[in-house]
Amino acid sequence: MRLRYRNIFLVFFVTAFILVAVSSEKSDAATGNLALGKTAYSSSNEVDFFGPEKAVDGGNRDASRWSSERTDDQWFYVDLGEPVEIGRVIINWQTPAEQYQVLVSDDAVTWRNVFADNRVLVARGSVEDTIDFEPTLAQYVKFQGVTRRPIEGIYYGYSFWEFEVYKGKPLLPPMMDAVKNSIVVSEGDTQLNLPAVPDGYTLTLVNTDSLPVIDEQGNIHAPLVDTQVQLLLQIESDSDPTYLLADNALVTVPGLYEQTSDRNPEPRVIPSLREWLGTTGEFRLTDKSNIVIRAEDEAALKGTANILRKDLLDLTKLPLTVTVGSPQEGDIYLVLDAAQTGLGTEGYELNIGEYTSVAGSDQTGVMFGTKTILQLLGHDADHKTMPKGQSRDYPKYADRGFMLDVGRKFYTIEFCGIM
């Protein structure tokens, strides 16, 4: 008999050691858990040994959990002992809720949702739910059950192994929203002014979709008319580079001129022109028109001019001549201009006046400008007139794609050639 008692005592001692070891291990893992060991309260307990204190003891197995009665409207809360700034709650579910809320209070009487929109949450399942929210000052933190989730068709009470509370950190989405709402570009600005962010965080301009207007360094180059630019911004934690958020912000950059109703409206081309300032009247090609290359650019642009001559002959039936020199009324003038470097190798400036000029820093941009001329002429009944105006055109993105679905819509070879 004595031997049996000795064995029972040994089993009890080993079991106790295991429970203490598990609790200690959990406590180490829960460093920073403000709810650990604090006083907790609940609306009900399934049985006495599943009381609220079991959800703040650092345990995660066997009887170390809180479990409520089998009705929906049940709650649990922990007293942190004093007001503390918190920003994260972790619930380690044993029997998850279907819907629930996380509330906080200063007096355990009046409660407020940790989310401004009074959010109702849905548990992920029998795993941990991590709820991050904008840091708030509170002494009491509450789980409020809304509806229970059936487990194999049975509605048990709410139950979780641990309810943990942490200080958390500022949420990036509200920080980014504040940044986006405060960025303004005013007339005459030459540098993008990014707003300040909280200490410990860095705001960076990553890129824009209109580099000739706002470049990667935030330098502003006034466009012809008011132009909207998408900024790609990033907020990053200085102490944790993995904690970051990137998002777009739309800003309007004031233009040098105003596109009024008495000016020619922006013509339709594919892709659309990035900047357009209309004037009045029309440019017209005649049988006296020429394609003129500036003398110093002849070698670089001769091939482009010959392609344009052939395309214009097909489109307008006018046999234009390619010449070198200065343009006259009715001519199309092609020129390489280092001043257009800001538009990139594929960008160009198009001026349609008494004569039409295409200027780019690279032959590629000049070629793209001639394709725009072909589209503009294509809108005219006899393909010989274009609206007068000025355009600065450049790619929106460095890498682009275009799909022409000839299986569902018929396109002529001529149309594809103009494209």
Side-chain angles (χ1 to χ4, degrees), residues 364-375:
T364 303
V366 176
M367 172 64 81
F368 286 167
T370 65
K371 298 305 181 182
T372 296
I373 290 174
L374 293 171
Q375 287 199 64

Side-chain angles (χ1 to χ4, degrees), residues 129-236:
D129 270 354
T130 298
I131 305 100
D132 287 311
F133 45 89
E134 195 65 17
T136 185
L137 194 67
Q139 179 171 336
Y140 303 91
V141 188
K142 185 178 188 180
F143 158 83
Q144 176 62 61
V146 177
T147 57
R148 290 168 297 148
R149 178 178 298 175
I151 306 297
E152 297 182 350
I154 300 175
Y155 284 89
Y156 297 100
Y158 305 105
S159 180
F160 38 75
W161 303 108
E162 280 294 297
F163 185 87
E164 303 175 10
V165 181
Y166 297 89
K167 287 187 176 182
K169 50 190 172 183
L171 296 186
L172 296 182
M175 195 185 302
M176 181 64 81
D177 288 341
V179 166
K180 291 162 62 174
N181 292 332
S182 61
I183 297 179
V184 176
V185 178
S186 302
E187 185 175 352
D189 284 353
T190 58
Q191 182 68 37
L192 183 68
N193 295 313
L194 295 179
V197 292
D199 291 341
Y201 293 84
T202 299
L203 174 64
T204 306
L205 173 66
V206 179
N207 213 328
T208 83
D209 70 348
S210 292
L211 292 173
V213 179
I214 301 180
D215 63 25
E216 291 174 319
Q217 288 72 45
N219 298 308
I220 299 174
H221 310 277
L224 293 174
V225 295
D226 290 0
T227 300
Q228 290 190 320
V229 178
Q230 285 280 5
L231 310 175
L232 178 59
L233 304 171
Q234 178 176 287
I235 297 177
E236 178 182 312

Side-chain angles (χ1 to χ4, degrees), residues 283-286 316-318 377 380-386:
F283 165 88
R284 186 170 185 83
L285 279 176
T286 69
T316 68
K317 311 307 178 188
L318 293 175
L377 292 171
D380 181 52
D382 64 359
H383 308 317
K384 294 177 182 177
T385 64
M386 298 184 292

Side-chain angles (χ1 to χ4, degrees), residues 54 105 176 266:
K54 297 298 180 66
S105 175
M176 181 64 81
E266 179 182 334

